[in-house]
Amino acid sequence: MTTQGERTPTPGEGQDGRAGQRTGGGAGGAAPTGPKRGRRLTGRRAVGWVAVVGVVVAGGWIITRPTPGDYIPGLGPSKKDQARLPPVVGSPPATTDPEALNADNLFPAQRPVEVAGYKARRGGIRQGEKCDEVLQDRTQELLKDSGCQAYLIVSFTGVDHPVRSSVTLLRFADQSTAARAADALRAKPGAVAFMLADTNIAPALTGGDAKPGSVPRVEAVGHYVTVTASRTGDSRPSGTASTPASPTPTSGGEPNLEEATRALSYAAGQPLVWI
């Protein structure tokens, strides 16, 4: 029963007419309500959580950061994917060095290099700080006093053309030092070694094996120098019996070595402009 001016409370309302508020009775009137507290962690619950974690770890279900190539995120790449990774020779540069010649940053293995219609995939890698290791004949000591700080050699294989390419990057302290080193390397075109996809060094080309476009392209880019060269087939002199490091593409017709060298030289120098 209600008096005039009052209304009957609807379900869910308290005595004060506000929805969602529950009021308690008692001699003292409405009891104040506050936020609900979480369940207190007791010794028994703590032991239970430890047991659950132990079972998870024992079962091998450890969640880690996923990496490219994982069949199941966090469980690591498969043996099949690991076998496809290109070989690496030498010590990788420090990841904290913003000017480091890091092959994964410059030429990611998962992404082919594509410039002006030419496409190539990354192969083997050689890297280190002893720059004389890039020379075909180390007795020349062409880079001994050049101020070279580090080197990176990356091999490439044409996707649509049977072309092998070798790209060498050298780091110097400043632009003038890099420019002098580039002039010295241009004066001796065969001084820098040509690396194959399996990281082996190919024999130097002779007059009969050299083809148009096989002359290395040397460029000074900031305080770096790039040396790019391309060859046909398995990149070995004629008459040498050997097995190619990787299958040779058959499509695309006669390979254009100059096209491959120009494209990869540009791809190698472009990121160095901003360093």
Side-chain angles (χ1 to χ4, degrees):
M1 179 175 180
T2 60
T3 61
Q4 187 176 2
E6 295 180 338
R7 66 182 181 87
T8 303
T10 59
E13 294 187 19
Q15 293 179 358
D16 57 357
R18 289 180 297 177
Q21 295 282 346
R22 299 186 62 181
T23 58
T33 60
K36 297 178 66 177
R37 295 183 179 179
R39 300 176 66 182
R40 186 168 59 90
L41 180 63
T42 63
R44 180 176 299 179
R45 288 201 184 96
V47 172
W49 278 112
V50 171
V52 171
V53 173
V55 171
V56 171
V57 174
W61 292 98
I62 302 175
I63 300 175
T64 60
R65 185 177 181 180
T67 56
D70 288 5
Y71 279 174
I72 301 177
L75 297 185
S78 66
K79 293 182 179 180
K80 181 179 179 182
D81 293 325
Q82 289 178 333
R84 292 179 178 178
L85 296 177
V88 179
V89 176
S91 302
T95 56
T96 56
D97 185 357
E99 298 183 347
L101 295 173
N102 190 309
D104 290 330
N105 293 339
L106 298 173
F107 311 107
Q110 299 85 356
R111 186 173 68 246
V113 173
E114 187 171 5
V115 179
Y118 181 79
K119 186 184 296 185
R121 293 190 180 278
R122 192 187 87 181
I125 300 168
R126 281 181 176 264
Q127 54 197 2
E129 298 179 353
K130 298 179 180 180
C131 296
D132 289 340
E133 295 177 356
V134 309
L135 299 177
Q136 184 76 32
D137 182 6
R138 299 181 186 179
T139 61
Q140 293 183 357
E141 296 184 345
L142 187 62
L143 298 173
K144 182 178 180 180
D145 298 320
S146 65
C148 183
Q149 299 174 334
Y151 76 89
L152 171 67
I153 310 177
V154 184
S155 69
F156 289 91
T157 302
V159 174
D160 301 320
H161 303 275
V163 177
R164 312 282 179 173
S165 300
S166 178
V167 180
T168 301
L169 295 88
L170 306 171
R171 187 180 76 177
F172 295 85
D174 50 58
Q175 296 185 14
S176 59
T177 305
R180 289 194 297 270
D183 291 338
L185 293 175
R186 290 192 190 101
K188 295 185 177 181
V192 177
F194 190 98
M195 190 183 73
L196 302 173
D198 57 3
T199 70
N200 288 322
I201 301 301
L205 293 177
T206 61
D209 296 310
K211 296 181 180 297
S214 61
V215 177
R217 187 185 185 99
V218 182
E219 300 288 349
V221 186
H223 59 285
Y224 297 87
V225 173
T226 64
V227 183
T228 310
S230 299
R231 299 184 184 182
T232 59
D234 64 353
S235 306
R236 299 178 189 271
S238 58
T240 302
S242 59
T243 302
S246 59
T248 301
T250 56
S251 61
E254 185 66 22
N256 189 331
L257 302 185
E258 292 180 340
E259 175 189 22
T261 299
R262 284 196 307 268
L264 292 175
S265 178
Y266 176 84
Q270 187 66 17
L272 302 181
V273 175
W274 309 104
I275 298 179

